Structures are given as C-alpha cells and as structure tokens.
Amino acid sequence: MTIRAILAIALSLTGASVAQAQDAGMSFFITSANPGNGADLGGLEGADAYCTSLAEAAGVSGKTWAAYLSSSAENARNRIGAGPWANANGVVVAVNVDDLHSENNNVTKETSISESGDVINGRGDNPNRHDILTGSNLDGMLEGNACDDWTSSGEGSAMVGHHDRTGGGDHPTAWNSAHPSRGCSMEALQGTGGDGLFYCFATN
C-alpha cells in the first residue's frame, strides 16, 4: 500500500469520527416528514417513538427523545428535559426550558432543521411547511384539544407554531403557538401551510 493510500484512509477515518461526534451531539430537530396519518401520531408515545426512529436513522443513538407536543396528560414544556439543545449542525437553540420559551431563544428557520440537517421550507417556499404541530400555548402548555390528544386524523384541530417566525395567526412569530390548524387530516394540515411535522428534543 502506498503512503498516499494510507494517508487517504487516515483522513477519511478522521473525517468520519468528526462527523459522528457532531451527529452524536444533536438534541433537537424537526421531523423531516409526517409519520403518515396527519395529526394521528399514535398519541405522545407514538410521536416519541417516531422521534427516536428518525434520530437513530440519522446516526444518533443512546438518547431519549420526546416530541414537543402537549396533551391532556402532559404539557410539552414538561416532557423535553432540561436542555441545552443543539441541532444537527451543533448550533444551540436554547440553554434551558425558560430560555426556550423566552424571546431569547434561537429557534429560527435556519436553526430549526431536520434530523439530517436539512432546512425545512417556510413561508414563501413551495410547498410551505412552516406550521409545526405543538398543541401548545406560548408557555408550552396545552391549548385546545390537540386532535384528540394526537389520535385523530379527522375532526378537531391542533395549535401549530411557525419555525420560520413569520406568517398569520394571533402570534405569527411564535415558534410554538401561532394559530390552530384547519383540521387533523394531512389535507387540513397542508391547507394552512404545514405538513404534519413536529419538534423533537432529547431529554438527556
């Protein structure tokens, strides 16, 4: 084996270990896709499991994941751990729960990326996907019926936030509580600028 070949292998291994270290630090992302049934996520348990499956597919294991979703049983702010939380690029979006729910948070279109590091379409993009399911008010507490606690893909509605911090609703710049969805089906969620996506946070 030539020296050049040995150096090439060494450099590739170094690059791989750096990438793994960066991936392993991810503790926040927006789901790249909906599980497939609108706001029926299989309840909080199903949503958490989906967060875990996406994170592990992206190379992040050994973490406990929770969806930022409120239900009649549990509020979003109480289920996501203590922080801090960083995205797939290592950018910190909030240092703790209070910071996350303050004006100082770093939740933006550029930082609220998917588990694979992709920017999620916002207002002005085609298609618009900026409505992120939360079922929460500005403080991270249950607002509305959250599509029957995330088990309905028909009647009802769920509060959504705008990850790009712009749009319509009572609080258009809120990442977690901009306006209610039109309904709970994929068609209804997409009708107001969403795609049934939600935030995932590592609790450890």
Side-chain angles (χ1 to χ4, degrees):
M1 183 178 292
T2 66
I3 293 177
R4 180 176 293 178
I6 293 171
L7 286 173
I9 292 172
L11 285 171
S12 67
L13 290 174
T14 301
S17 64
V18 170
Q20 287 176 351
Q22 184 186 61
D23 289 346
M26 181 178 72
S27 51
F28 163 79
F29 63 90
I30 293 178
T31 59
S32 56
N34 178 270
N37 200 24
D40 181 358
L41 306 173
L44 294 179
E45 183 178 355
D48 292 348
Y50 188 62
C51 287
T52 301
S53 66
L54 291 181
E56 291 182 347
V60 180
S61 58
K63 291 182 180 292
T64 301
W65 292 91
Y68 184 92
L69 298 169
S70 291
S71 76
S72 60
E74 195 172 8
N75 292 308
R77 68 177 295 135
N78 298 328
R79 59 189 326 272
I80 58 172
W85 299 282
N87 68 17
N89 293 332
V91 177
V92 174
V93 296
V95 297
N96 55 43
V97 173
D98 288 337
D99 183 43
L100 180 66
H101 294 89
S102 76
E103 292 299 320
N104 299 321
N105 71 59
N106 189 32
V107 179
T108 67
K109 180 181 177 181
E110 291 72 28
T111 61
S112 300
I113 53 181
S114 75
E115 70 280 358
S116 55
D118 295 325
V119 174
I120 305 295
N121 280 7
R123 192 180 193 195
D125 297 325
N126 187 23
N128 181 9
R129 307 173 81 204
H130 79 162
D131 284 357
I132 310 299
L133 297 170
T134 69
S136 304
N137 64 17
L138 295 173
D139 293 323
M141 314 287 276
L142 178 65
E143 180 82 12
N145 76 354
C147 290
D148 199 15
D149 286 344
W150 311 110
T151 62
S152 171
S153 61
E155 297 299 318
S157 69
M159 188 62 70
V160 301
H162 292 156
H163 82 295
D164 57 358
R165 315 300 290 270
T166 186
D170 292 336
H171 305 285
T173 62
W175 67 274
N176 65 338
S177 190
H179 60 81
S181 68
R182 184 177 295 171
C184 299
S185 67
M186 277 300 295
E187 292 77 13
L189 298 176
Q190 290 168 340
T192 53
D195 208 16
L197 311 182
F198 51 95
Y199 300 103
C200 297
F201 289 78
T203 65
N204 58 335

